Amino acid sequence: MSEAGRVPSPATPLVVAAAAPEERKGKEPEREKLPPIVSAGAGATAGLDRGAKGQISTLSSFISAVSPKKEAAENRSSPAHLVFPNIKNVRDQPSISLDVRQKQRISMDASSSEVKAPVLPECILPIQPKTMKDFQEDVEKVKSSGDWKAVHDFYLTTFDSFPELNAAFKKDATASFNTIEDSGINAKFVNAVYDTLINTPQDIQKTNPQFNNTSTYVIYAHLLRQIATLVEADHHFLVHWFKKLSQKRFKQLVERLLQFISLRLFPAKPEEFPPITKCSWWIPSAAKVLALLNTANNLAHPPLIPYTDFYNSTLDHIDLMEEYHTWQNFGNSHSRFSFCQYPFVISIAAKKIIIQRDSEQQMINIARQSLVDKVSRRQRPDMNMLFLNMKVRRTHLVSDSLDELTRKRADLKKKLKVTFVGEAGLDMGGLTKEWFLLLIRQIFHPDYGMFTYHKDSHCHWFSSFKCDNYSEFRLVGILMGLAVYNSITLDIRFPPCCYKKLLSPPIIPSDQNIPVGICSVTVDDLCQIMPELAHGLSELLSHEGNVEEDFYSTFQVFQEEFGIIKSYNLKPGGDKISVTNQNRKEYVQLYTDFLLNKSIYKQFAAFYYGFHSVCASNALMLLRPEEVEILVCGSPDLDMYALQRSTQYDGYAKTDLTIKYFWDVVLGFPLDLQKKLLHFTTGSDRVPVGGMADLNFKISKNETSTNWLPVAHTCFNQLCLPPYKSKKDLKQKLIIGISNSEGFGLE
């Protein structure tokens, strides 16, 4: 594909944009399946046709063709008429991102290492102008002479045409690539040339733009469009090559693309850009290239960069609901672009706004319908009909809550209000939070038997014990859904794979025979719950001796249920099939799948349906499993300085000596004590998506003896602090209070 007779290979443009991949050390194992990239369809094939022999455009002609001066001279004509002769109109680009509306996963592995590129017309390539050693010697001479001519000539020659590029940087200039393992590019040479370019005089840099300022964005946009409109098979190769980039270069590519989108949305100098009507394809092209990078990042193990590095905070300031509604109405249609087609660039804060507003709209619609129904039946409207009113007894909290939610299933999408029987008071948010705290604490208690707490991983997992009624698991799912729906953070500790299962699929299937809550799981997922067992299975996989003789295992699992040991076959006749060196991978996979999927299917299915009975929204399809966890439980990242800035005071002023002592002590706490303080005052050691400011944390003056410990009202995120006279006394009392508290009292 990168032979001279065709338009540049997928890897070639990146030589100019941000240097070539630095091959990561060692060969990482290929995954069996790759995340899907939606077929580019006719639009992609119309984007880049295979050039015939003799129709090779030079890079210099390409740059001059799309330069701003050229566009101005030709009255800013359509970009479609400014590129190569063999490039057709590609204004409306097809989506290459993961279609978040897709319910079935499509394998990307069609382009395996054995798939070969199309055979193209042969062409005589130029001789390699310089080796890497020659180039480095020229650069060293510049340091003493100051004469850049030899280096400048190298850049002029090398980047003059695609054949010259291939001759300079391909390991074998005459060979076509045919593997996802190796792009065939001399990465070290490319990176050396790129890094040197950054330090060259401006006249050299101008002829070899790096696309880090707006003056070269017109060229950059056309380059991105070429990559975006490659056929799907080429995208498969690119994805695999991208994941072999070094972390530094990969991050540079992502940051440059995000900056390109931000400056196109909010240009500092609008006059530097063509009119938006002439470059409406810029952002879609950049988003599609980002989609390739995001897919590559997901395939890398571990990921090259955190998924949060793909967030574009600029999007927090656009009309998110307009983007959402466009996506709702048009999906991944080629005719309308929406950032919701590429949810990985939308921050969790922005997604929360979308979910909240979507929830509010659903609440309004449900309440309006209830009102209309009342009026149509000539009944007197009651304000209570606009809410999901929960009336429960503290002594029968779980059973009353289950009964109420079952009877009022049609009202789950109304605003939640809680009343404790026999207690006066209006629910202004405090009673609702208290109801969640008490209910979660009771349901997750080990004596209740629904969930098992694993001390090694500090998380809960579903009990595999069989029972006649799984309605209480549905209740937990409803609770989680109500928490997301009503913007309440829960103190729940589920492992990450729970949220992966919760989005499998993200929308309840119309066919009830389709299983839900089943996802692909690995030993890594098991390690997050049962690290010791996962370690044992990993040792089995890496054992160098005779597995059958040393482990003496069969395809069976043994579990204790109410004091009785029961055995389950992992496959038909498993009790008679020995685990050997040849089948141990299958054994580990079946074992893991049994523990995390099959043995708890009914429990998790009830939990799944409970959650989605409240949160049935297309907005869920925008979320990653990690983001669902943050919405439910909050973020583990604490910023106590932000908490200090947003704290409110009652009876104290922030300049009071006691308050100064308090913050001196808290800011000096290690992380574990800071988490205990947060848990003591709010009921959770995590932070809402909106940050510390969303906690509405308050410190009130407690006019009691300084011998007393601090008191917290978790329902209102309020800390009642006696006026301690010394920092030492405050620190001692505070540590005792936060270290020995349990729920609403002392241990």
Side-chain angles (χ1 to χ4, degrees):
M1 290 166 68
S2 57
E3 292 176 327
R6 63 160 296 178
V7 178
S9 76
T12 303
L14 298 176
V15 173
V16 186
E22 289 179 297
E23 302 293 343
R24 300 174 74 188
K25 294 182 180 179
K27 293 284 185 180
E28 62 183 25
E30 291 297 332
R31 297 195 179 179
E32 291 183 4
K33 289 190 176 182
L34 311 182
I37 292 180
V38 176
S39 175
T45 55
L48 290 178
D49 291 334
R50 300 313 193 245
K53 193 172 178 180
Q55 289 183 326
I56 303 172
S57 300
T58 64
L59 284 178
S60 56
S61 66
F62 168 59
I63 292 174
S64 63
V66 297
S67 65
K69 292 181 181 179
K70 179 82 173 179
E71 289 201 42
E74 296 189 11
N75 196 25
R76 299 191 180 276
S77 59
S78 170
H81 305 295
L82 297 175
V83 225
F84 307 138
N86 58 338
I87 293 183
K88 301 177 183 177
N89 192 328
V90 285
R91 269 181 183 277
D92 297 324
Q93 307 294 342
S95 175
I96 60 169
S97 73
L98 170 62
D99 186 348
V100 290
R101 287 183 175 273
Q102 260 181 257
K103 294 180 181 178
Q104 295 182 345
R105 309 293 290 173
I106 305 171
S107 170
M108 274 183 59
D109 228 4
S111 296
S112 65
S113 56
E114 280 69 37
V115 175
K116 296 194 175 183
V119 178
L120 302 171
E122 292 185 4
C123 180
I124 299 175
L125 294 176
I127 299 173
Q128 184 179 27
K130 287 182 186 291
T131 64
M132 180 175 174
K133 184 179 179 181
D134 295 335
F135 178 76
Q136 289 175 331
E137 288 176 354
D138 287 344
V139 174
E140 286 298 319
K141 290 177 183 177
V142 170
K143 294 180 181 178
S144 57
S145 66
D147 183 6
W148 287 90
K149 185 178 185 308
V151 176
H152 193 187
D153 289 344
F154 170 82
Y155 283 110
L156 287 176
T157 302
T158 302
F159 293 93
D160 180 63
S161 70
F162 297 113
E164 292 285 359
L165 274 175
N166 286 330
F169 296 120
K170 286 187 68 175
K171 294 174 183 176
D172 184 349
T174 61
S176 61
F177 74 86
N178 62 356
T179 173
I180 59 177
E181 293 290 343
D182 185 8
S183 62
I185 294 174
N186 186 339
K188 290 183 179 179
F189 192 11
V190 175
N191 291 326
V193 171
Y194 177 77
D195 292 338
T196 301
L197 179 62
I198 298 173
N199 300 312
T200 59
Q202 286 299 314
D203 59 330
I204 300 179
Q205 292 193 35
K206 284 181 181 178
T207 57
N208 296 276
Q210 298 148 62
F211 314 121
N212 53 8
N213 60 68
T214 54
S215 64
T216 58
Y217 271 11
V218 172
I219 305 170
Y220 191 32
H222 282 269
L223 182 60
L224 294 175
R225 183 172 66 175
Q226 289 190 69
I227 300 173
T229 53
L230 290 169
V231 296
E232 187 177 358
D234 293 356
H235 285 153
H236 286 267
F237 280 96
L238 267 181
V239 164
H240 280 281
W241 295 345
F242 278 148
K243 75 174 185 178
K244 297 181 184 298
L245 284 164
S246 70
Q247 183 186 50
K248 175 186 173 183
R249 309 238 178 226
F250 189 89
K251 190 168 185 177
Q252 284 176 343
L253 274 176
V254 172
E255 288 176 346
R256 191 158 295 172
L257 283 161
L258 293 175
Q259 182 187 46
F260 175 82
I261 291 173
S262 298
L263 290 176
R264 178 60 276 189
L265 285 172
F266 301 102
K269 297 179 180 179
E271 64 275 9
E272 292 183 348
F273 294 98
I276 191 65
T277 55
K278 298 292 184 182
C279 59
S280 59
W281 50 271
W282 281 24
I283 290 177
S285 296
K288 290 164 192 173
V289 177
L290 271 172
L292 294 175
L293 290 164
N294 180 62
T295 303
N297 193 55
N298 291 335
L299 285 176
H301 186 71
L304 289 165
I305 59 176
Y307 69 90
T308 52
D309 283 359
F310 282 90
Y311 287 166
N312 191 332
S313 56
T314 305
L315 304 184
D316 296 356
H317 306 287
I318 65 174
D319 190 340
L320 294 168
M321 294 313 294
E322 181 181 355
E323 295 291 322
Y324 179 65
H325 291 143
T326 298
W327 174 64
Q328 288 272 79
N329 294 329
F330 295 93
N332 275 27
S333 169
H334 303 168
S335 61
R336 292 292 296 272
F337 171 82
S338 167
F339 281 107
C340 290
Q341 296 168 346
Y342 306 89
F344 56 86
V345 299
I346 305 175
S347 70
I348 181 63
K351 288 173 183 172
K352 183 185 178 183
I353 291 173
I354 292 174
I355 290 172
Q356 279 184 331
R357 293 183 182 173
D358 187 51
S359 299
E360 289 167 2
Q361 188 58 52
Q362 290 187 48
M363 289 179 183
I364 292 170
N365 292 341
I366 294 292
R368 182 186 292 123
Q369 187 59 48
S370 297
L371 189 61
V372 169
D373 290 345
K374 278 276 187 182
V375 173
S376 64
R377 293 196 297 265
R378 298 185 179 182
Q379 296 175 347
R380 185 176 180 179
D382 181 3
M383 285 301 294
N384 285 327
M385 63 183 288
L386 303 179
F387 299 94
L388 169 57
N389 294 288
M390 299 287 297
K391 292 185 179 181
V392 295
R393 297 168 292 176
R394 289 184 183 271
T395 54
H396 299 78
L397 195 63
V398 175
S399 58
D400 283 3
S401 299
L402 185 59
D403 290 342
E404 285 281 87
L405 291 172
T406 302
R407 284 193 303 107
K408 300 176 180 178
R409 188 174 299 176
D411 296 336
L412 291 178
K413 294 197 174 187
K414 295 180 181 178
K415 183 70 175 175
L416 177 62
K417 282 202 171 184
V418 175
T419 303
F420 288 100
V421 176
E423 298 180 20
L426 295 174
D427 184 9
M428 304 302 291
L431 293 178
T432 295
K433 185 175 180 182
E434 183 182 3
W435 176 70
F436 274 111
L437 287 169
L438 290 172
L439 198 53
I440 290 298
R441 183 184 177 197
Q442 188 167 333
I443 286 175
F444 281 85
H445 195 282
D447 293 344
Y448 211 73
M450 288 179 62
F451 298 93
T452 303
Y453 182 71
H454 296 270
K455 292 183 179 180
D456 292 341
S457 57
H458 305 289
C459 70
H460 290 92
W461 191 241
F462 295 77
S463 171
S464 59
F465 293 169
K466 304 296 185 291
C467 59
D468 297 328
N469 189 353
Y470 296 95
S471 59
E472 290 182 348
F473 287 99
R474 186 182 183 92
L475 170 62
V476 179
I478 291 174
L479 283 177
M480 276 184 54
L482 287 173
V484 172
Y485 207 62
N486 291 271
S487 302
I488 292 174
T489 302
L490 296 181
D491 186 29
I492 292 180
R493 292 293 177 270
F494 280 134
C497 74
C498 172
Y499 301 97
K500 185 163 65 171
K501 287 165 66 68
L502 203 55
L503 294 180
S504 301
I507 297 296
I508 296 178
S510 55
D511 184 355
Q512 294 186 351
N513 294 320
I514 296 176
V516 297
I518 299 291
C519 67
S520 175
V521 289
T522 65
V523 175
D524 290 339
D525 294 312
L526 184 63
C527 187
Q528 296 165 348
I529 308 168
M530 309 169 196
E532 284 191 9
L533 177 57
H535 178 70
L537 292 175
S538 297
E539 284 191 338
L540 171 65
L541 290 173
S542 60
H543 185 65
E544 295 181 357
N546 188 310
V547 170
E548 184 175 5
E549 293 180 359
D550 296 344
F551 285 85
Y552 200 69
S553 297
T554 58
F555 276 68
Q556 279 183 301
V557 174
F558 297 92
Q559 289 188 332
E560 181 181 348
E561 296 182 12
F562 303 108
I564 301 173
I565 302 296
K566 292 188 176 182
S567 64
Y568 298 91
N569 286 346
L570 295 177
K571 60 190 298 187
D575 56 326
K576 298 176 182 177
I577 303 174
S578 297
V579 179
T580 65
N581 293 62
Q582 289 72 35
N583 63 18
R584 56 183 169 180
K585 286 186 179 179
E586 180 191 11
Y587 170 76
V588 170
Q589 181 56 44
L590 290 174
Y591 198 134
T592 305
D593 183 64
F594 177 83
L595 292 177
L596 303 185
N597 282 325
K598 292 180 179 177
S599 67
I600 59 163
Y601 177 75
K602 291 184 178 179
Q603 294 89 324
F604 197 91
F607 172 76
Y608 173 94
Y609 283 116
F611 179 82
H612 286 274
S613 65
V614 183
C615 288
S617 167
N618 286 333
L620 275 183
M621 292 190 284
L622 303 176
L623 298 174
R624 294 172 58 98
E626 300 93 331
E627 293 170 330
V628 177
E629 181 180 9
I630 291 174
L631 284 176
V632 173
C633 308
S635 169
D637 301 324
L638 305 188
D639 184 351
M640 302 308 284
Y641 289 97
L643 182 64
Q644 182 185 18
R645 290 191 297 270
S646 61
T647 297
Q648 304 169 33
Y649 300 97
D650 181 16
Y652 282 118
K654 63 181 178 180
T655 55
D656 288 348
L657 203 56
T658 302
I659 298 301
K660 289 183 177 179
Y661 289 155
F662 174 80
W663 288 114
D664 285 346
V665 168
V666 170
L667 295 175
F669 273 165
L671 181 61
D672 64 322
L673 283 180
Q674 289 179 345
K675 287 189 173 185
K676 285 183 178 180
L677 171 66
L678 205 62
H679 193 279
F680 176 72
T681 53
T682 69
S684 172
D685 62 3
R686 295 196 168 204
V687 186
V689 172
M692 289 292 194
D694 278 10
L695 282 175
N696 296 317
F697 184 67
K698 179 186 283 189
I699 299 178
S700 299
K701 192 171 186 178
N702 194 355
E703 297 287 1
T704 58
S705 169
T706 53
N707 293 325
W708 284 35
L709 296 175
V711 176
H713 299 296
T714 54
C715 301
F716 299 100
N717 300 338
Q718 184 177 12
L719 177 67
C720 298
L721 200 64
Y724 299 113
K725 302 301 182 186
S726 70
K727 186 191 296 186
K728 181 180 178 181
D729 192 28
L730 185 148
K731 182 177 182 179
Q732 182 184 23
K733 297 290 196 305
L734 187 60
I735 290 177
I736 292 173
I738 65 177
S739 300
N740 296 279
S741 66
E742 176 65 27
F744 296 90
L746 295 176
E747 286 182 319

